[in-house]
Amino acid sequence: MPSRLFARPAHRRAHRSRPVRRLLAAATALAALLAGLVAATSQASQTESSSALAAPTFKAPFPCGQQWTYSHHSAEVRRALDFIRSDGGTTAGSPVLASAAGTATRHSQPSGAGNYIVIDHGGGWQTYYFHLDAYSVANGAQVAQGQQIGTTGSTGNSTGAHIHYEQLLNGVGQNIVINGGALSYPSSYGSAHLTSDNGCGEGNFMTWGSGVRVRADARLDAPVVTTLTGPTLVHVDCQKQGDPVTAEGYTNDWWAHLADYGGYITNIYIDHPDAKLPGVPEC
């Protein structure tokens, strides 16, 4: 009898343990599922954050070969830079180019930014271009890097033609980076300059030397339009023969037409071994 009384409670305890084991197993499975969901959510969040922080390779907002100087006004709301030409060209009416590909939207604020364009590059990145004289693309247009989106002007609250340029991430102004390098923030024009490689392609060459004169025609007695102070990236749209020029032991009678400067330079100051530049048509 004592053994039978002992056996019955033991049997009941064994019978009750099976549901407990099932509950424990279910709880373990649920914990594993939750842990997996948390890990997946964390990974997705990290991926999304990484994507948002991946900036495009922004280029200068003006054409290939042009040199502009820039400055920053401390009163600016965001980390903007203002650009004007420093290569002898005219700022007003100069093309404004997309720094990177994206969707362009047109805006107008007569009391402030004037005519301006915002380009959405994805990943939270945008660029702003203020005070345009005119738009060159339709509202909502898809634009490529280097595509003209407007012309430089002084619309809105502006005292002179310039490009007011900004880079934003999720609506917050960022320090401006061009070609992967951060620009400085001088308080006035003239101390910092930027030469553009935006839109560079066939027909673009570097000059060499200093004090290279750009003349109105391919003649040594033609008026000087401007002077290239040092090595400069230029776009040659055509070339023709003119007065021979001798320098550094070489003589060349071919001249390159620089549409951005409205004149010619002798090919002898183009950094290329051929007297007649390849891939460039005759004027």
Side-chain angles (χ1 to χ4, degrees):
M1 181 66 71
S3 62
R4 289 179 62 190
L5 289 173
F6 175 79
R8 290 179 65 186
H11 174 72
R12 284 196 295 269
R13 286 196 300 273
H15 181 71
R16 285 196 303 267
S17 67
R18 284 195 292 271
V20 173
R21 285 197 296 270
R22 293 193 190 98
L23 287 172
L24 289 173
T28 301
L30 179 60
L33 177 61
L34 289 174
L37 288 173
V38 169
T41 302
S42 176
Q43 183 177 4
S45 176
Q46 291 173 4
T47 300
E48 181 180 356
S49 175
S50 175
S51 175
L53 295 174
T57 301
F58 292 117
K59 292 188 176 295
F62 45 86
C64 174
Q66 291 185 0
Q67 182 189 71
W68 295 52
T69 183
Y70 53 90
S71 68
H72 171 73
H73 297 293
S74 59
E76 294 283 5
V77 176
R78 293 183 290 263
R79 298 292 291 164
L81 285 174
D82 293 332
F83 290 86
I84 62 172
R85 292 190 69 166
S86 58
D87 56 9
T90 303
T91 299
S94 287
V96 178
L97 308 187
S99 281
T103 303
T105 54
R106 293 161 45 159
H107 304 268
S108 180
Q109 187 186 52
S111 63
N115 301 324
Y116 70 100
I117 279 182
V118 177
I119 301 181
D120 189 334
H121 306 285
W125 286 95
Q126 294 177 314
T127 47
Y128 284 20
Y129 312 76
F130 286 6
H131 309 302
L132 301 177
D133 179 63
Y135 305 110
S136 300
V137 293
N139 189 47
Q142 296 295 313
V143 296
Q145 185 175 66
Q147 181 176 340
Q148 181 172 333
I149 58 173
T151 53
T152 306
S154 186
T155 57
N157 185 15
S158 170
T159 58
H162 67 285
I163 302 174
H164 170 112
Y165 175 73
E166 301 180 20
Q167 295 174 354
L168 292 84
L169 174 60
N170 297 325
V172 179
Q174 305 293 303
N175 287 342
I176 290 173
V177 173
I178 299 296
N179 289 331
L183 298 190
S184 60
Y185 275 75
S187 59
S188 60
Y189 295 122
S191 62
H193 302 264
L194 177 66
T195 298
S196 175
D197 68 346
N198 197 357
C200 291
E202 189 174 9
N204 298 300
F205 301 89
M206 287 296 298
T207 65
W208 65 273
S210 60
V212 178
R213 298 179 179 89
V214 180
R215 297 184 178 274
D217 202 358
R219 307 187 322 271
L220 291 172
D221 62 353
V224 175
V225 175
T226 189
T227 300
L228 306 181
T229 58
T232 305
L233 182 65
V234 295
H235 178 72
V236 180
D237 60 343
C238 65
Q239 59 189 328
K240 70 177 184 179
Q241 288 178 291
D243 288 348
V245 178
T246 300
E248 300 290 327
Y250 297 94
T251 300
N252 195 343
D253 65 350
W254 282 94
W255 291 66
H257 182 253
L258 311 182
D260 289 336
Y261 298 92
Y264 293 83
I265 65 170
T266 169
N267 281 11
I268 208 163
Y269 287 113
I270 297 289
D271 192 8
H272 194 280
D274 295 346
K276 184 180 181 183
L277 301 175
V280 177
E282 294 187 26
C283 298

